[in-house]
Amino acid sequence: MKKAFIGVYGCQMNVSDAERMEGQLGTIGYERTEAMGEADLILLNTCCVRETAEDKVYGKIGEIKHIKERNPNLIFGITGCMAQKEGEKLIRRAPHIDFVLGTNKVHELVHVVKGIQAERGHVVDVSIGETELPEGMPVTRGGKFSAWVPIMYGCNNFCTYCIVPYVRGRERSRLPEDVVREVEEAVGKGYKEITLLGQNVNSYGKDHGKADFAELLSRVDAVPGIQRVRFMTSHPKDLSDRVIEAIRDGKHICEHIHLPVQHGTNRILKAMNRVYTVEKYRDLARKIRENLPEASITTDIIVGFPGETEEDFHAMLDFIKEIRYDSAYTFLYSRRSGTPAATMENQVDEACKKRRLSELMDVQNGISREINEALRGKTVEVMVEGASKNDDEIWTGRTRTNKIVLWRHGAEAPGDFVQVRITQPQTWVLKGEIQ
Ligand code: SAH
Ligand code: SF4
Ligand code: F3S
């Protein structure tokens, strides 16, 4: 077997794409290695959502230059969102890259690699016009019990800060029967938890009209043997009552909604083109809590969007305190050329952004801790993942609400469902005792 190193950056969609790349490479004799130095093929599946993501990849590209000098037969390709965005510029900047394959070309990987094996040379394919979705691609899943299943590709929302619609193309939903078939296959192989993926899962099916997201959720929930259904990401603008009801009425659909708010003032939300108002978001959060009292709500927040004043920032903090998220991913606004926000006036300076970010994190950490504190003494259902990173005796898993739980290992095995009594809730994790 030849060896392939696949470096994955960015979101779950990239993780899922990489699993399909690995699946395809398996058909032409490559197995995955974690050691870049011993690889015959190196793929970097990249992200460009923020500048920091791109910087990491440029660092890696530099490192790989030395490996390629030692091993000229090495094949080195860039895939994913940066590949889509930069195209052949990447090869001009770093000629040791053999190929650049865009986000719509995942299914061309075998063809491209074989071409380079036969006759060395550079290949760039970042055309994005394709509407036909490749089905039935082989997939080598990273997890043993949790599987990612993409339900739609692309994004139509064009939030003014965001590069994703430019590098992932327009929204295209898979047919419901294709999604259900992939879920059934995964469950048949022992997967217990399925996460449905899309940049905005609530607009699933708007293009083909065969099923909406609520219906898809219910159909996936009904797959025999499935234990947990998760989904991400939900755009607040079209999280419908039907979806909330489907979660409430489903048996296996986990009570966790990742509902990125991005900001907490109408002025900035409007400038971001998020389409909802704080009033509408507040209403939505209330509806979720009424119908799903156990649900956790998590979010993404950007600080330092162009024009954000101290007053806007404090109004946002107040909104965060009002909604009370279980946890939040918080980001410094990063200027992405080609997006409308990149050329807006009143860019916020870095020092100010950083101060605001740390203030926001303090506020959010306090809230996360308080919410978790309320779980002290309670018993929760956990799907066992395995030993934690630092200690073989301490095992980890997640609640239905997607909180990480740690406990001292007994007789349980990965993939088991166990009851854990929470004894030491913390900001990021819940420590407990297995029952
Ligand atoms: N489709 C998803 C997430 C896409 S990217 C959604 O709409 O929720 C993940 C997160 O990165 C976004 O929610 C946003 O908070 C953040 N993000 C996107 N572009 C950014 C930028 N230019 N600067 C900082 N954060 C950004
Ligand atoms: Fe980006 Fe907005 Fe689309 Fe999410 S919904 S991927 S933030 S444009
Ligand atoms: Fe990054 Fe592309 Fe995902 S830009 S966040 S990997 S869709």
Side-chain angles (χ1 to χ4, degrees), residues 11 49-50 155 157 159 161-164 198-200 233-235 258-260 262 274 300-303 329 331-336 339:
C11 64
V49 76
R50 283 171 290 277
C155 179
N157 294 315
C159 304
Y161 50 81
C162 184
I163 194 83
V164 171
Q199 295 301 341
N200 173 16
T233 294
S234 292
H235 193 303
H258 186 60
L259 193 65
Q262 312 297 0
R274 288 294 287 181
D300 293 350
I301 307 164
I302 297 175
V303 298
Y329 293 100
F331 304 108
L332 291 177
Y333 167 70
S334 171
R335 221 166 158 169
R336 305 285 66 208
T339 63

PDB file of all heavy atoms in Angstrom, residues 11 49-50 155 157 159 161-164 198-200 233-235 258-260 262 274 300-303 329 331-336 339, ligand 1:
ATOM      1  N   CYS A  11     -14.023  23.514   8.670  1.00  0.00           N
ATOM      2  CA  CYS A  11     -15.251  23.039   9.309  1.00  0.00           C
ATOM      3  C   CYS A  11     -15.516  21.563   9.037  1.00  0.00           C
ATOM      4  O   CYS A  11     -14.774  20.893   8.332  1.00  0.00           O
ATOM      5  CB  CYS A  11     -16.425  23.881   8.819  1.00  0.00           C
ATOM      6  SG  CYS A  11     -16.729  23.712   7.049  1.00  0.00           S
ATOM      7  N   VAL A  49     -11.772  30.731   5.730  1.00  0.00           N
ATOM      8  CA  VAL A  49     -12.828  31.545   6.329  1.00  0.00           C
ATOM      9  C   VAL A  49     -12.260  32.740   7.097  1.00  0.00           C
ATOM     10  O   VAL A  49     -12.873  33.796   7.137  1.00  0.00           O
ATOM     11  CB  VAL A  49     -13.782  30.671   7.197  1.00  0.00           C
ATOM     12  CG1 VAL A  49     -13.151  30.287   8.527  1.00  0.00           C
ATOM     13  CG2 VAL A  49     -15.119  31.350   7.405  1.00  0.00           C
ATOM     14  N   ARG A  50     -11.064  32.548   7.675  1.00  0.00           N
ATOM     15  CA  ARG A  50     -10.362  33.658   8.331  1.00  0.00           C
ATOM     16  C   ARG A  50      -8.902  33.616   7.899  1.00  0.00           C
ATOM     17  O   ARG A  50      -8.400  32.577   7.485  1.00  0.00           O
ATOM     18  CB  ARG A  50     -10.446  33.528   9.868  1.00  0.00           C
ATOM     19  CG  ARG A  50     -11.800  33.933  10.428  1.00  0.00           C
ATOM     20  CD  ARG A  50     -11.943  33.591  11.895  1.00  0.00           C
ATOM     21  NE  ARG A  50     -12.025  32.167  12.076  1.00  0.00           N
ATOM     22  CZ  ARG A  50     -13.144  31.458  11.951  1.00  0.00           C
ATOM     23  NH1 ARG A  50     -14.279  32.041  11.689  1.00  0.00           N
ATOM     24  NH2 ARG A  50     -13.130  30.150  12.101  1.00  0.00           N
ATOM     25  N   CYS A 155     -23.806  27.752  -0.259  1.00  0.00           N
ATOM     26  CA  CYS A 155     -24.545  28.709   0.561  1.00  0.00           C
ATOM     27  C   CYS A 155     -25.023  29.857  -0.318  1.00  0.00           C
ATOM     28  O   CYS A 155     -24.287  30.323  -1.182  1.00  0.00           O
ATOM     29  CB  CYS A 155     -23.642  29.258   1.671  1.00  0.00           C
ATOM     30  SG  CYS A 155     -24.493  30.476   2.687  1.00  0.00           S
ATOM     31  N   ASN A 157     -26.365  32.716   1.129  1.00  0.00           N
ATOM     32  CA  ASN A 157     -26.727  33.829   2.021  1.00  0.00           C
ATOM     33  C   ASN A 157     -25.875  35.080   1.877  1.00  0.00           C
ATOM     34  O   ASN A 157     -26.338  36.171   2.179  1.00  0.00           O
ATOM     35  CB  ASN A 157     -26.745  33.352   3.465  1.00  0.00           C
ATOM     36  CG  ASN A 157     -27.862  32.349   3.656  1.00  0.00           C
ATOM     37  OD1 ASN A 157     -28.976  32.568   3.192  1.00  0.00           O
ATOM     38  ND2 ASN A 157     -27.565  31.229   4.292  1.00  0.00           N
ATOM     39  N   CYS A 159     -23.563  36.551   3.627  1.00  0.00           N
ATOM     40  CA  CYS A 159     -23.294  37.441   4.758  1.00  0.00           C
ATOM     41  C   CYS A 159     -22.086  38.272   4.334  1.00  0.00           C
ATOM     42  O   CYS A 159     -21.158  37.727   3.717  1.00  0.00           O
ATOM     43  CB  CYS A 159     -22.991  36.631   6.014  1.00  0.00           C
ATOM     44  SG  CYS A 159     -24.332  35.487   6.406  1.00  0.00           S
ATOM     45  N   TYR A 161     -19.449  39.496   5.504  1.00  0.00           N
ATOM     46  CA  TYR A 161     -18.074  39.223   5.948  1.00  0.00           C
ATOM     47  C   TYR A 161     -17.539  37.919   5.385  1.00  0.00           C
ATOM     48  O   TYR A 161     -16.361  37.612   5.511  1.00  0.00           O
ATOM     49  CB  TYR A 161     -18.027  39.141   7.493  1.00  0.00           C
ATOM     50  CG  TYR A 161     -19.101  38.217   8.052  1.00  0.00           C
ATOM     51  CD1 TYR A 161     -18.925  36.845   8.062  1.00  0.00           C
ATOM     52  CD2 TYR A 161     -20.310  38.743   8.517  1.00  0.00           C
ATOM     53  CE1 TYR A 161     -19.926  36.004   8.520  1.00  0.00           C
ATOM     54  CE2 TYR A 161     -21.314  37.909   8.978  1.00  0.00           C
ATOM     55  CZ  TYR A 161     -21.107  36.538   8.966  1.00  0.00           C
ATOM     56  OH  TYR A 161     -22.108  35.701   9.399  1.00  0.00           O
ATOM     57  N   CYS A 162     -18.395  37.101   4.761  1.00  0.00           N
ATOM     58  CA  CYS A 162     -18.086  35.672   4.632  1.00  0.00           C
ATOM     59  C   CYS A 162     -17.683  35.265   3.212  1.00  0.00           C
ATOM     60  O   CYS A 162     -18.320  35.630   2.226  1.00  0.00           O
ATOM     61  CB  CYS A 162     -19.286  34.858   5.089  1.00  0.00           C
ATOM     62  SG  CYS A 162     -18.969  33.087   5.090  1.00  0.00           S
ATOM     63  N   ILE A 163     -16.657  34.450   3.127  1.00  0.00           N
ATOM     64  CA  ILE A 163     -16.111  33.995   1.848  1.00  0.00           C
ATOM     65  C   ILE A 163     -16.787  32.702   1.366  1.00  0.00           C
ATOM     66  O   ILE A 163     -16.688  32.339   0.198  1.00  0.00           O
ATOM     67  CB  ILE A 163     -14.567  33.790   2.020  1.00  0.00           C
ATOM     68  CG1 ILE A 163     -13.840  33.648   0.687  1.00  0.00           C
ATOM     69  CG2 ILE A 163     -14.250  32.577   2.893  1.00  0.00           C
ATOM     70  CD1 ILE A 163     -13.505  34.925   0.019  1.00  0.00           C
ATOM     71  N   VAL A 164     -17.481  32.012   2.278  1.00  0.00           N
ATOM     72  CA  VAL A 164     -17.982  30.664   1.960  1.00  0.00           C
ATOM     73  C   VAL A 164     -18.816  30.591   0.674  1.00  0.00           C
ATOM     74  O   VAL A 164     -18.586  29.714  -0.164  1.00  0.00           O
ATOM     75  CB  VAL A 164     -18.725  30.045   3.175  1.00  0.00           C
ATOM     76  CG1 VAL A 164     -19.430  28.740   2.794  1.00  0.00           C
ATOM     77  CG2 VAL A 164     -17.749  29.797   4.319  1.00  0.00           C
ATOM     78  N   GLY A 198     -24.620  20.933   6.660  1.00  0.00           N
ATOM     79  CA  GLY A 198     -24.856  21.912   5.599  1.00  0.00           C
ATOM     80  C   GLY A 198     -24.520  23.281   6.157  1.00  0.00           C
ATOM     81  O   GLY A 198     -24.548  23.469   7.373  1.00  0.00           O
ATOM     82  N   GLN A 199     -24.195  24.236   5.293  1.00  0.00           N
ATOM     83  CA  GLN A 199     -23.910  25.593   5.796  1.00  0.00           C
ATOM     84  C   GLN A 199     -25.157  26.202   6.412  1.00  0.00           C
ATOM     85  O   GLN A 199     -25.087  27.072   7.274  1.00  0.00           O
ATOM     86  CB  GLN A 199     -23.398  26.510   4.680  1.00  0.00           C
ATOM     87  CG  GLN A 199     -22.065  26.104   4.090  1.00  0.00           C
ATOM     88  CD  GLN A 199     -20.952  26.064   5.114  1.00  0.00           C
ATOM     89  OE1 GLN A 199     -21.054  26.654   6.186  1.00  0.00           O
ATOM     90  NE2 GLN A 199     -19.893  25.362   4.800  1.00  0.00           N
ATOM     91  N   ASN A 200     -26.309  25.767   5.947  1.00  0.00           N
ATOM     92  CA  ASN A 200     -27.566  26.303   6.452  1.00  0.00           C
ATOM     93  C   ASN A 200     -28.633  25.226   6.262  1.00  0.00           C
ATOM     94  O   ASN A 200     -29.389  25.255   5.303  1.00  0.00           O
ATOM     95  CB  ASN A 200     -27.904  27.577   5.670  1.00  0.00           C
ATOM     96  CG  ASN A 200     -29.269  28.095   6.015  1.00  0.00           C
ATOM     97  OD1 ASN A 200     -29.855  27.709   7.029  1.00  0.00           O
ATOM     98  ND2 ASN A 200     -29.800  28.954   5.180  1.00  0.00           N
ATOM     99  N   THR A 233     -25.277  23.610  10.139  1.00  0.00           N
ATOM    100  CA  THR A 233     -25.576  24.709  11.047  1.00  0.00           C
ATOM    101  C   THR A 233     -26.963  25.262  10.733  1.00  0.00           C
ATOM    102  O   THR A 233     -27.373  25.241   9.586  1.00  0.00           O
ATOM    103  CB  THR A 233     -24.515  25.806  10.850  1.00  0.00           C
ATOM    104  OG1 THR A 233     -23.265  25.313  11.273  1.00  0.00           O
ATOM    105  CG2 THR A 233     -24.814  27.043  11.603  1.00  0.00           C
ATOM    106  N   SER A 234     -27.613  25.844  11.730  1.00  0.00           N
ATOM    107  CA  SER A 234     -28.933  26.443  11.527  1.00  0.00           C
ATOM    108  C   SER A 234     -28.810  27.947  11.375  1.00  0.00           C
ATOM    109  O   SER A 234     -28.277  28.601  12.254  1.00  0.00           O
ATOM    110  CB  SER A 234     -29.820  26.172  12.735  1.00  0.00           C
ATOM    111  OG  SER A 234     -30.123  24.811  12.833  1.00  0.00           O
ATOM    112  N   HIS A 235     -29.298  28.477  10.285  1.00  0.00           N
ATOM    113  CA  HIS A 235     -29.355  29.939  10.145  1.00  0.00           C
ATOM    114  C   HIS A 235     -30.658  30.411  10.783  1.00  0.00           C
ATOM    115  O   HIS A 235     -31.718  29.863  10.466  1.00  0.00           O
ATOM    116  CB  HIS A 235     -29.302  30.312   8.663  1.00  0.00           C
ATOM    117  CG  HIS A 235     -29.051  31.768   8.421  1.00  0.00           C
ATOM    118  ND1 HIS A 235     -29.860  32.758   8.936  1.00  0.00           N
ATOM    119  CD2 HIS A 235     -28.074  32.398   7.723  1.00  0.00           C
ATOM    120  CE1 HIS A 235     -29.384  33.939   8.562  1.00  0.00           C
ATOM    121  NE2 HIS A 235     -28.310  33.749   7.831  1.00  0.00           N
ATOM    122  N   HIS A 258     -27.226  24.631  17.176  1.00  0.00           N
ATOM    123  CA  HIS A 258     -26.169  25.616  16.970  1.00  0.00           C
ATOM    124  C   HIS A 258     -26.784  26.705  16.092  1.00  0.00           C
ATOM    125  O   HIS A 258     -27.100  26.461  14.928  1.00  0.00           O
ATOM    126  CB  HIS A 258     -24.965  24.956  16.293  1.00  0.00           C
ATOM    127  CG  HIS A 258     -23.802  25.893  16.189  1.00  0.00           C
ATOM    128  ND1 HIS A 258     -23.212  26.466  17.296  1.00  0.00           N
ATOM    129  CD2 HIS A 258     -23.134  26.380  15.119  1.00  0.00           C
ATOM    130  CE1 HIS A 258     -22.228  27.262  16.913  1.00  0.00           C
ATOM    131  NE2 HIS A 258     -22.157  27.239  15.594  1.00  0.00           N
ATOM    132  N   LEU A 259     -26.972  27.861  16.684  1.00  0.00           N
ATOM    133  CA  LEU A 259     -27.767  28.909  16.052  1.00  0.00           C
ATOM    134  C   LEU A 259     -26.953  30.210  16.026  1.00  0.00           C
ATOM    135  O   LEU A 259     -27.176  31.111  16.841  1.00  0.00           O
ATOM    136  CB  LEU A 259     -29.053  29.078  16.878  1.00  0.00           C
ATOM    137  CG  LEU A 259     -30.195  29.885  16.283  1.00  0.00           C
ATOM    138  CD1 LEU A 259     -30.767  29.197  15.043  1.00  0.00           C
ATOM    139  CD2 LEU A 259     -31.310  30.065  17.323  1.00  0.00           C
ATOM    140  N   PRO A 260     -25.998  30.312  15.092  1.00  0.00           N
ATOM    141  CA  PRO A 260     -25.099  31.465  15.096  1.00  0.00           C
ATOM    142  C   PRO A 260     -25.840  32.803  15.048  1.00  0.00           C
ATOM    143  O   PRO A 260     -26.660  33.021  14.159  1.00  0.00           O
ATOM    144  CB  PRO A 260     -24.253  31.266  13.835  1.00  0.00           C
ATOM    145  CG  PRO A 260     -24.270  29.799  13.616  1.00  0.00           C
ATOM    146  CD  PRO A 260     -25.652  29.364  14.018  1.00  0.00           C
ATOM    147  N   GLN A 262     -24.047  35.842  15.466  1.00  0.00           N
ATOM    148  CA  GLN A 262     -23.021  36.715  14.854  1.00  0.00           C
ATOM    149  C   GLN A 262     -22.913  38.077  15.527  1.00  0.00           C
ATOM    150  O   GLN A 262     -21.828  38.579  15.733  1.00  0.00           O
ATOM    151  CB  GLN A 262     -23.212  36.901  13.336  1.00  0.00           C
ATOM    152  CG  GLN A 262     -23.447  35.626  12.543  1.00  0.00           C
ATOM    153  CD  GLN A 262     -22.286  34.635  12.562  1.00  0.00           C
ATOM    154  OE1 GLN A 262     -21.257  34.891  13.181  1.00  0.00           O
ATOM    155  NE2 GLN A 262     -22.454  33.493  11.912  1.00  0.00           N
ATOM    156  N   ARG A 274     -27.536  39.638   7.687  1.00  0.00           N
ATOM    157  CA  ARG A 274     -28.005  38.406   8.328  1.00  0.00           C
ATOM    158  C   ARG A 274     -29.528  38.251   8.197  1.00  0.00           C
ATOM    159  O   ARG A 274     -30.077  37.222   8.536  1.00  0.00           O
ATOM    160  CB  ARG A 274     -27.598  38.400   9.806  1.00  0.00           C
ATOM    161  CG  ARG A 274     -26.119  38.180  10.019  1.00  0.00           C
ATOM    162  CD  ARG A 274     -25.681  36.795   9.595  1.00  0.00           C
ATOM    163  NE  ARG A 274     -26.125  35.763  10.499  1.00  0.00           N
ATOM    164  CZ  ARG A 274     -25.838  34.465  10.348  1.00  0.00           C
ATOM    165  NH1 ARG A 274     -25.108  34.069   9.326  1.00  0.00           N
ATOM    166  NH2 ARG A 274     -26.281  33.589  11.199  1.00  0.00           N
ATOM    167  N   ASP A 300     -22.216  31.310  17.237  1.00  0.00           N
ATOM    168  CA  ASP A 300     -20.972  31.931  16.754  1.00  0.00           C
ATOM    169  C   ASP A 300     -21.156  33.447  16.860  1.00  0.00           C
ATOM    170  O   ASP A 300     -22.246  33.959  16.552  1.00  0.00           O
ATOM    171  CB  ASP A 300     -20.731  31.630  15.267  1.00  0.00           C
ATOM    172  CG  ASP A 300     -20.454  30.160  14.979  1.00  0.00           C
ATOM    173  OD1 ASP A 300     -20.254  29.389  15.925  1.00  0.00           O
ATOM    174  OD2 ASP A 300     -20.444  29.796  13.784  1.00  0.00           O
ATOM    175  N   ILE A 301     -20.104  34.131  17.281  1.00  0.00           N
ATOM    176  CA  ILE A 301     -20.168  35.590  17.408  1.00  0.00           C
ATOM    177  C   ILE A 301     -18.898  36.202  16.813  1.00  0.00           C
ATOM    178  O   ILE A 301     -17.801  35.692  17.031  1.00  0.00           O
ATOM    179  CB  ILE A 301     -20.268  36.019  18.894  1.00  0.00           C
ATOM    180  CG1 ILE A 301     -21.427  35.299  19.579  1.00  0.00           C
ATOM    181  CG2 ILE A 301     -20.415  37.536  19.018  1.00  0.00           C
ATOM    182  CD1 ILE A 301     -21.366  35.368  21.095  1.00  0.00           C
ATOM    183  N   ILE A 302     -19.074  37.271  16.074  1.00  0.00           N
ATOM    184  CA  ILE A 302     -17.926  37.988  15.507  1.00  0.00           C
ATOM    185  C   ILE A 302     -17.788  39.339  16.206  1.00  0.00           C
ATOM    186  O   ILE A 302     -18.775  40.075  16.306  1.00  0.00           O
ATOM    187  CB  ILE A 302     -18.128  38.218  13.993  1.00  0.00           C
ATOM    188  CG1 ILE A 302     -18.208  36.877  13.258  1.00  0.00           C
ATOM    189  CG2 ILE A 302     -17.026  39.100  13.418  1.00  0.00           C
ATOM    190  CD1 ILE A 302     -18.522  36.996  11.763  1.00  0.00           C
ATOM    191  N   VAL A 303     -16.590  39.649  16.684  1.00  0.00           N
ATOM    192  CA  VAL A 303     -16.360  41.001  17.221  1.00  0.00           C
ATOM    193  C   VAL A 303     -15.493  41.793  16.256  1.00  0.00           C
ATOM    194  O   VAL A 303     -14.668  41.230  15.535  1.00  0.00           O
ATOM    195  CB  VAL A 303     -15.683  41.021  18.620  1.00  0.00           C
ATOM    196  CG1 VAL A 303     -16.536  40.335  19.659  1.00  0.00           C
ATOM    197  CG2 VAL A 303     -14.296  40.414  18.570  1.00  0.00           C
ATOM    198  N   TYR A 329     -18.639  29.986  19.968  1.00  0.00           N
ATOM    199  CA  TYR A 329     -17.374  30.182  19.263  1.00  0.00           C
ATOM    200  C   TYR A 329     -17.285  31.667  18.977  1.00  0.00           C
ATOM    201  O   TYR A 329     -18.199  32.238  18.371  1.00  0.00           O
ATOM    202  CB  TYR A 329     -17.358  29.415  17.945  1.00  0.00           C
ATOM    203  CG  TYR A 329     -17.357  27.924  18.119  1.00  0.00           C
ATOM    204  CD1 TYR A 329     -18.526  27.185  17.991  1.00  0.00           C
ATOM    205  CD2 TYR A 329     -16.173  27.249  18.428  1.00  0.00           C
ATOM    206  CE1 TYR A 329     -18.521  25.809  18.158  1.00  0.00           C
ATOM    207  CE2 TYR A 329     -16.163  25.879  18.605  1.00  0.00           C
ATOM    208  CZ  TYR A 329     -17.343  25.167  18.466  1.00  0.00           C
ATOM    209  OH  TYR A 329     -17.325  23.811  18.633  1.00  0.00           O
ATOM    210  N   PHE A 331     -15.108  34.946  17.407  1.00  0.00           N
ATOM    211  CA  PHE A 331     -14.095  35.222  16.392  1.00  0.00           C
ATOM    212  C   PHE A 331     -13.798  36.710  16.289  1.00  0.00           C
ATOM    213  O   PHE A 331     -14.698  37.543  16.433  1.00  0.00           O
ATOM    214  CB  PHE A 331     -14.584  34.761  15.016  1.00  0.00           C
ATOM    215  CG  PHE A 331     -14.985  33.304  14.982  1.00  0.00           C
ATOM    216  CD1 PHE A 331     -16.324  32.952  14.899  1.00  0.00           C
ATOM    217  CD2 PHE A 331     -14.033  32.313  15.043  1.00  0.00           C
ATOM    218  CE1 PHE A 331     -16.696  31.607  14.862  1.00  0.00           C
ATOM    219  CE2 PHE A 331     -14.394  30.970  15.009  1.00  0.00           C
ATOM    220  CZ  PHE A 331     -15.730  30.611  14.917  1.00  0.00           C
ATOM    221  N   LEU A 332     -12.524  37.016  15.968  1.00  0.00           N
ATOM    222  CA  LEU A 332     -12.159  38.375  15.577  1.00  0.00           C
ATOM    223  C   LEU A 332     -12.558  38.516  14.119  1.00  0.00           C
ATOM    224  O   LEU A 332     -12.255  37.631  13.314  1.00  0.00           O
ATOM    225  CB  LEU A 332     -10.638  38.543  15.625  1.00  0.00           C
ATOM    226  CG  LEU A 332      -9.933  38.532  16.960  1.00  0.00           C
ATOM    227  CD1 LEU A 332      -8.428  38.635  16.733  1.00  0.00           C
ATOM    228  CD2 LEU A 332     -10.421  39.703  17.800  1.00  0.00           C
ATOM    229  N   TYR A 333     -13.201  39.592  13.783  1.00  0.00           N
ATOM    230  CA  TYR A 333     -13.528  39.813  12.371  1.00  0.00           C
ATOM    231  C   TYR A 333     -12.244  39.766  11.543  1.00  0.00           C
ATOM    232  O   TYR A 333     -11.246  40.396  11.898  1.00  0.00           O
ATOM    233  CB  TYR A 333     -14.241  41.162  12.173  1.00  0.00           C
ATOM    234  CG  TYR A 333     -14.300  41.530  10.713  1.00  0.00           C
ATOM    235  CD1 TYR A 333     -15.121  40.816   9.845  1.00  0.00           C
ATOM    236  CD2 TYR A 333     -13.502  42.534  10.190  1.00  0.00           C
ATOM    237  CE1 TYR A 333     -15.137  41.109   8.483  1.00  0.00           C
ATOM    238  CE2 TYR A 333     -13.513  42.840   8.839  1.00  0.00           C
ATOM    239  CZ  TYR A 333     -14.331  42.113   7.989  1.00  0.00           C
ATOM    240  OH  TYR A 333     -14.337  42.390   6.649  1.00  0.00           O
ATOM    241  N   SER A 334     -12.274  39.026  10.452  1.00  0.00           N
ATOM    242  CA  SER A 334     -11.116  38.897   9.575  1.00  0.00           C
ATOM    243  C   SER A 334     -11.531  39.354   8.174  1.00  0.00           C
ATOM    244  O   SER A 334     -12.525  38.898   7.632  1.00  0.00           O
ATOM    245  CB  SER A 334     -10.665  37.429   9.580  1.00  0.00           C
ATOM    246  OG  SER A 334      -9.689  37.197   8.600  1.00  0.00           O
ATOM    247  N   ARG A 335     -10.742  40.270   7.636  1.00  0.00           N
ATOM    248  CA  ARG A 335     -11.075  40.876   6.345  1.00  0.00           C
ATOM    249  C   ARG A 335     -10.807  39.893   5.214  1.00  0.00           C
ATOM    250  O   ARG A 335      -9.676  39.435   5.054  1.00  0.00           O
ATOM    251  CB  ARG A 335     -10.132  42.070   6.198  1.00  0.00           C
ATOM    252  CG  ARG A 335     -10.748  43.268   5.649  1.00  0.00           C
ATOM    253  CD  ARG A 335      -9.811  44.415   5.890  1.00  0.00           C
ATOM    254  NE  ARG A 335     -10.103  45.462   4.946  1.00  0.00           N
ATOM    255  CZ  ARG A 335      -9.599  46.676   5.034  1.00  0.00           C
ATOM    256  NH1 ARG A 335      -8.770  46.983   6.019  1.00  0.00           N
ATOM    257  NH2 ARG A 335      -9.920  47.587   4.149  1.00  0.00           N
ATOM    258  N   ARG A 336     -11.831  39.540   4.452  1.00  0.00           N
ATOM    259  CA  ARG A 336     -11.683  38.577   3.360  1.00  0.00           C
ATOM    260  C   ARG A 336     -11.871  39.312   2.044  1.00  0.00           C
ATOM    261  O   ARG A 336     -12.984  39.777   1.752  1.00  0.00           O
ATOM    262  CB  ARG A 336     -12.742  37.461   3.474  1.00  0.00           C
ATOM    263  CG  ARG A 336     -12.774  36.718   4.789  1.00  0.00           C
ATOM    264  CD  ARG A 336     -11.643  35.720   4.979  1.00  0.00           C
ATOM    265  NE  ARG A 336     -10.340  36.317   5.074  1.00  0.00           N
ATOM    266  CZ  ARG A 336      -9.210  35.700   4.720  1.00  0.00           C
ATOM    267  NH1 ARG A 336      -9.251  34.500   4.225  1.00  0.00           N
ATOM    268  NH2 ARG A 336      -8.058  36.285   4.854  1.00  0.00           N
ATOM    269  N   THR A 339     -15.191  40.116  -0.380  1.00  0.00           N
ATOM    270  CA  THR A 339     -16.477  40.229   0.329  1.00  0.00           C
ATOM    271  C   THR A 339     -16.800  41.712   0.540  1.00  0.00           C
ATOM    272  O   THR A 339     -15.885  42.538   0.643  1.00  0.00           O
ATOM    273  CB  THR A 339     -16.413  39.542   1.713  1.00  0.00           C
ATOM    274  OG1 THR A 339     -15.443  40.215   2.516  1.00  0.00           O
ATOM    275  CG2 THR A 339     -16.036  38.076   1.585  1.00  0.00           C
TER     276      THR A 339
HETATM  277  N1  SAH B   1     -22.588  28.461   7.611  1.00  0.00           N
HETATM  278  C1  SAH B   1     -22.332  28.576   8.948  1.00  0.00           C
HETATM  279  C2  SAH B   1     -20.885  28.786   9.364  1.00  0.00           C
HETATM  280  C3  SAH B   1     -19.896  29.241   8.412  1.00  0.00           C
HETATM  281  S1  SAH B   1     -18.333  29.738   8.903  1.00  0.00           S
HETATM  282  C4  SAH B   1     -23.201  29.673   9.467  1.00  0.00           C
HETATM  283  O1  SAH B   1     -23.671  30.485   8.753  1.00  0.00           O
HETATM  284  O2  SAH B   1     -23.402  29.680  10.640  1.00  0.00           O
HETATM  285  C5  SAH B   1     -18.283  29.571  10.656  1.00  0.00           C
HETATM  286  C6  SAH B   1     -18.251  30.858  11.379  1.00  0.00           C
HETATM  287  O3  SAH B   1     -17.097  31.595  11.041  1.00  0.00           O
HETATM  288  C7  SAH B   1     -19.388  31.813  11.099  1.00  0.00           C
HETATM  289  O4  SAH B   1     -20.539  31.489  11.811  1.00  0.00           O
HETATM  290  C8  SAH B   1     -18.817  33.144  11.517  1.00  0.00           C
HETATM  291  O5  SAH B   1     -19.051  33.402  12.881  1.00  0.00           O
HETATM  292  C9  SAH B   1     -17.334  32.960  11.323  1.00  0.00           C
HETATM  293  N2  SAH B   1     -16.816  33.775  10.227  1.00  0.00           N
HETATM  294  C10 SAH B   1     -17.148  33.706   8.920  1.00  0.00           C
HETATM  295  N3  SAH B   1     -16.479  34.650   8.221  1.00  0.00           N
HETATM  296  C11 SAH B   1     -15.718  35.332   9.112  1.00  0.00           C
HETATM  297  C12 SAH B   1     -14.817  36.437   9.010  1.00  0.00           C
HETATM  298  N4  SAH B   1     -14.566  37.048   7.850  1.00  0.00           N
HETATM  299  N5  SAH B   1     -14.204  36.867  10.148  1.00  0.00           N
HETATM  300  C13 SAH B   1     -14.453  36.267  11.326  1.00  0.00           C
HETATM  301  N6  SAH B   1     -15.286  35.244  11.478  1.00  0.00           N
HETATM  302  C14 SAH B   1     -15.929  34.761  10.384  1.00  0.00           C
END
